[in-house]
Amino acid sequence: MTEVATAQAMSGRYDEALYLASNALTVGTTYGSERVLHRVRTFRRAYGGPPSNALRSFDERLHTTLL
């Protein structure tokens, strides 16, 4: 999912990218998959889109998974 999210972000579809990354975050936390969580964190570090409410919400969810 994160590879598709990265491709969406690179093509300017930021909301779709964040939606896919958010779904991956849900899967990673539900199943305790460190690999998926690592990929989600990597996606976030590489994300270069504009700030938005969707991004803030994603960041909050991601932050809570890291605690």
Side-chain angles (χ1 to χ4, degrees), residues 5-41:
T6 300
Q8 294 293 341
M10 290 175 66
S11 64
R13 297 182 186 127
Y14 302 112
D15 288 337
E16 291 175 39
L18 290 169
Y19 174 78
L20 291 170
S22 183
N23 285 344
L25 181 58
T26 299
V27 169
T29 55
T30 299
Y31 294 103
S33 174
E34 282 299 319
R35 183 176 183 178
V36 172
L37 294 175
H38 173 73
R39 288 182 178 195
V40 170
R41 288 189 294 268

Side-chain angles (χ1 to χ4, degrees), residues 3-4 28 55-56:
E3 291 84 5
V4 176
L55 179 60
R56 282 186 283 285

